[in-house]
């Protein structure tokens, strides 16, 4: 059975796509697994950072398993498969913990979109990037034309989506999509993620939200999260909650 395997290594959680027979292509069960793990990680105070990778050496993720969506009606495809995947990748992008994608192999279609939803990416020399959806008569549906276009030059995204070009690892690094090319992407990703242990968890979380607001990654949610964090630390908030429980009119001091 394909799924997503969770491993906890100290304060770093590794989420590994485990469908090697199909190059770690997404199934419905894998999407559900990943969403469940992300919900759990968000509530796990012991988790300081997350690394995503794939099983084996050939692929990080080859996209979506055609068997999972090929027979869906147009309405089911748009309402469920595309929207569910988009919601999941947005959840990953908005995760309060720093995330590193260890591209142990090729990242195609949904796999590339998954990597794009992480904070940073490292790649092995054999890994390539592609958006092959047009070969089967569809278009990128999990942010490949949106989030990816903020991370890579427009022409490079068009090369992949419109011309079927595969982008090699070195070119991806030169374009700024990945931080480096290394022989062992998982080991390097774990080193990067482990560095978070020496930093303030709250400072890291707020810095991530601020950067996301600057680049337009769910700007509305980022601004509201920052505002809510600020107001939660005020005397007014404490007074408002106390007054509610004591069934009296609050006496706000404005500080």
């Amino acid at each position: 059975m394909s799924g997503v395997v969770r491993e906890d290594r100290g304060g770093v959680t590794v989420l590994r796509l485990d469908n090697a027979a199909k190059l770690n292509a997404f199934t419905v069960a894998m999407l559900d697994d990943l969403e469940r793990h992300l919900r759990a990680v968000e509530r796990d105070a012991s988790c300081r950072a997350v690394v995503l990778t794939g099983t084996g050496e050939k692929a990080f993720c080859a996209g979506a398993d055609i068997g999972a969506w090929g027979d869906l009606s147009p309405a089911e495809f748009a309402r469920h498969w595309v929207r569910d995947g988009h919601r999941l990748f947005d959840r990953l992008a908005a995760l309060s913990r720093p995330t590193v994608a260890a591209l142990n192999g090729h990242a195609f279609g949904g796999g590339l979109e998954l990597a794009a939803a992480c904070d940073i990416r490292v790649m092995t020399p054999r890994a390539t990037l592609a958006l092959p959806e047009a070969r089967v008569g569809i278009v990128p549906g999990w942010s490949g034309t949106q989030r990816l276009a903020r991370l890579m030059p427009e022409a490079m995204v068009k090369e992949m989506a419109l011309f079927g070009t595969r982008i090699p690892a070195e070119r991806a690094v030169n374009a700024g999509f990945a931080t480096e090319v290394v022989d062992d992407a998982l080991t390097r990703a774990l080193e990067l993620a482990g560095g978070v242990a020496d930093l303030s968890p709250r400072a890291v979380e707020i810095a991530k939200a601020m950067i996301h607001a600057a680049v337009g990654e769910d700007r509305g949610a980022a601004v509201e999260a920052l505002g809510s964090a600020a107001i939660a630390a005020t005397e007014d908030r404490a007074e408002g909650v106390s007054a509610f429980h004591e069934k009296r009119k609050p006496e706000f001091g404005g500080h």
Side-chain angles (χ1 to χ4, degrees), residues 57-179:
E57 298 183 351
K58 291 184 178 180
F60 169 70
C61 176
D65 184 351
I66 294 179
W69 59 263
D71 294 330
L72 296 177
S73 70
E76 289 174 324
F77 181 73
R79 291 176 187 164
H80 302 300
W81 182 256
V82 174
R83 288 185 180 178
D84 287 352
H86 217 287
R87 183 190 68 246
L88 169 60
F89 285 18
D90 285 348
R91 178 186 286 275
L92 172 60
L95 196 70
S96 63
R97 309 308 197 276
T99 56
V100 185
L103 303 189
N104 53 298
H106 304 305
F108 298 158
L112 175 52
E113 292 166 316
L114 178 69
C118 293
D119 292 318
I120 60 174
R121 293 147 290 275
V122 294
M123 302 176 65
T124 64
R126 61 183 172 276
T128 62
L129 312 177
L131 290 173
E133 285 85 352
R135 296 184 184 277
V136 290
I138 61 171
V139 295
W142 291 342
S143 76
T145 62
Q146 305 301 307
R147 181 175 290 118
L148 197 59
R150 295 198 299 269
L151 297 172
M152 304 175 77
E154 176 188 344
M156 186 174 289
V157 178
K158 287 179 175 177
E159 270 191 84
M160 292 188 288
L162 309 185
F163 298 94
T165 302
R166 285 193 187 185
I167 304 299
E170 285 290 351
R171 192 173 172 208
V173 169
N174 291 337
F177 178 74
T179 58

Side-chain angles (χ1 to χ4, degrees):
M1 293 292 291
S2 62
V4 178
V5 178
R6 174 176 174 171
E7 290 180 65
D8 292 307
R9 305 191 184 191
V12 178
T13 294
V14 178
L15 299 178
R16 177 170 51 82
L17 307 180
D18 190 24
N19 188 16
K22 293 191 174 182
L23 300 179
N24 300 319
F26 272 113
T27 62
V28 172
M30 290 171 71
L31 292 176
D32 290 344
D33 260 7
L34 183 55
E35 186 159 27
R36 175 174 56 84
H37 286 310
L38 292 177
R39 283 198 304 268
V41 163
E42 192 65 81
R43 291 165 173 76
D44 185 352
S46 68
C47 174
R48 298 292 306 279
V50 175
V51 170
L52 274 84
T53 193
T55 295
E57 298 183 351
K58 291 184 178 180
F60 169 70
C61 176
D65 184 351
I66 294 179
W69 59 263
D71 294 330
L72 296 177
S73 70
E76 289 174 324
F77 181 73
R79 291 176 187 164
H80 302 300
W81 182 256
V82 174
R83 288 185 180 178
D84 287 352
H86 217 287
R87 183 190 68 246
L88 169 60
F89 285 18
D90 285 348
R91 178 186 286 275
L92 172 60
L95 196 70
S96 63
R97 309 308 197 276
T99 56
V100 185
L103 303 189
N104 53 298
H106 304 305
F108 298 158
L112 175 52
E113 292 166 316
L114 178 69
C118 293
D119 292 318
I120 60 174
R121 293 147 290 275
V122 294
M123 302 176 65
T124 64
R126 61 183 172 276
T128 62
L129 312 177
L131 290 173
E133 285 85 352
R135 296 184 184 277
V136 290
I138 61 171
V139 295
W142 291 342
S143 76
T145 62
Q146 305 301 307
R147 181 175 290 118
L148 197 59
R150 295 198 299 269
L151 297 172
M152 304 175 77
E154 176 188 344
M156 186 174 289
V157 178
K158 287 179 175 177
E159 270 191 84
M160 292 188 288
L162 309 185
F163 298 94
T165 302
R166 285 193 187 185
I167 304 299
E170 285 290 351
R171 192 173 172 208
V173 169
N174 291 337
F177 178 74
T179 58
E180 55 191 306
V181 178
V182 292
D183 289 332
D184 190 334
L186 178 58
T187 295
R188 179 57 180 148
L190 288 169
E191 290 174 354
L192 289 166
V196 176
D198 296 328
L199 308 177
S200 158
R202 195 65 178 139
V204 168
E205 178 181 353
I206 291 175
K208 176 172 176 173
M210 292 169 66
I211 295 167
H212 278 190
V215 300
E217 177 64 65
D218 199 13
R219 180 175 288 134
V223 170
E224 290 185 350
L226 291 170
S228 297
I231 199 67
T234 65
E235 294 178 5
D236 276 0
R237 185 257 194 177
E239 168 62 13
V241 173
S242 294
F244 174 82
H245 288 308
E246 296 167 9
K247 297 181 172 56
R248 60 175 173 80
K249 182 179 179 180
E251 298 179 6
F252 294 125
H255 299 291

